[in-house]
Amino acid sequence: MQLKSSSLRAAIFIFMALASHIPIAQAQNDTAPSLTFDAAQFARWRSAADHGDAAAQNKIGQFYASGIGVRQDLVEAARWFAMASEQNLAEAQFNLGTAYEKGAGVEQDYAGAAKLYRKAAVQGYAEAQKSLAVLFAQGKGVVKDTVGAYMLALLARKGTSGESIASVESLADDLARMLTDEERRKAEDLAARWKPGMPLMSAEKQ
C-alpha cells in the first residue's frame, strides 16, 4: 500500500485521533441522545436486566456510563454491556468495544475492541463500522488495512444520518485520498455488495 505523501498520512492520522476519539459516555450514548432518568422506568429496566433482557442490560450500562440519574461507574457500565454483548446485541458490543478502546472501566485492549466492533459491524451497526474503520486505518488491534478501512467507512456512511454524517463522510473522503484508483474501486465494490451478516471481506483479516 503506497501513500501519496507522508504529510497526508500524518494529517489523516491526526484527524482520526481527534475526530473519532470522544469521551466514553458520549460515545456510548450516541445511539441514545435523549437518555433521561426516570426512577420508576429505571427500576423496570433494572428488573428486566436482572432477568437477562439484553436491551435492558445495555440501557442500564448507558446510565452508569453517562452518570445520568446514578453515580457514574464505568466498571459497572462495562459489566452490564458485557452481559448484553454476550447475547449478541450490536449496540452493547459497540459500547463495550468503546470501553476497551478507551480503557474505560476495563483495561485498554485494542484487539478486544476490534473484535467487539467487528461483531456489531457484521450486524450492520454503523457506529461500530466507523470505529472499526479507524482501527484498521491506524493498525490498532488489527493488521493495518486501508482498503478495508475505506470499505467500512463507506458502509458506515450508508447507515448514518443526522449530525453524525459529517464526520463519517470526512473519514471516508480522507481514506479515499490515501488509496490508488484501483484500491478505491475494490473497496467501493466490496461495500456495494456487502449485506448484514456477510463477512467484512478485506476488512475481515483478524
Side-chain angles (χ1 to χ4, degrees):
M1 169 67 218
Q2 295 296 318
L3 299 177
K4 293 185 177 180
S5 73
S6 58
S7 60
L8 177 58
R9 179 182 181 182
I12 189 170
F13 281 7
I14 292 171
F15 164 81
M16 288 187 290
L18 296 177
S20 68
H21 291 135
I22 56 181
I24 181 71
Q26 179 183 343
Q28 290 174 335
N29 288 302
D30 277 348
T31 55
S34 60
L35 188 69
T36 57
F37 184 83
D38 176 89
Q41 181 62 63
F42 182 84
R44 288 191 289 272
W45 276 322
R46 179 56 189 261
S47 178
D50 287 337
H51 285 84
D53 184 282
Q57 290 169 342
N58 182 65
K59 183 69 72 173
I60 295 298
Q62 287 181 320
F63 279 109
Y64 279 111
S66 66
I68 295 175
V70 296
R71 180 177 60 83
Q72 187 179 46
D73 186 336
L74 299 182
V75 173
E76 185 70 358
R79 187 175 75 86
W80 285 106
F81 290 145
M83 286 189 282
S85 177
E86 288 174 0
Q87 299 189 63
N88 206 36
L89 185 69
E91 185 177 352
Q93 290 165 341
F94 167 71
N95 288 336
L96 185 59
T98 302
Y100 274 107
E101 184 181 358
K102 311 300 179 187
V106 293
E107 185 175 350
Q108 189 174 51
D109 181 354
Y110 290 115
K115 290 177 181 178
L116 287 158
Y117 287 153
R118 183 183 289 106
K119 289 179 179 180
V122 166
Q123 296 182 63
Y125 198 79
E127 284 290 332
Q129 291 167 342
K130 176 189 175 185
S131 294
L132 187 57
V134 172
L135 292 185
F136 270 110
Q138 297 176 328
K140 288 185 175 180
V142 292
V143 174
K144 186 174 176 180
D145 179 358
T146 313
V147 173
Y150 180 49
M151 174 206 171
L152 285 161
L154 293 175
L155 294 178
R157 186 166 63 184
K158 287 182 183 179
T160 302
S161 59
E163 295 180 359
S164 300
I165 190 65
S167 65
V168 180
E169 288 182 337
S170 294
L171 174 62
D173 290 345
D174 285 346
L175 286 168
R177 285 193 287 271
M178 297 178 70
L179 302 174
T180 65
D181 290 343
E182 181 180 356
E183 288 169 333
R184 278 198 303 273
R185 286 193 295 269
K186 177 182 178 182
E188 289 163 358
D189 179 63
L190 291 171
R193 291 190 287 111
W194 187 85
K195 290 180 173 52
M198 294 174 60
L200 290 170
M201 305 301 200
S202 75
E204 198 77 303
K205 287 190 171 181
Q206 290 217 350

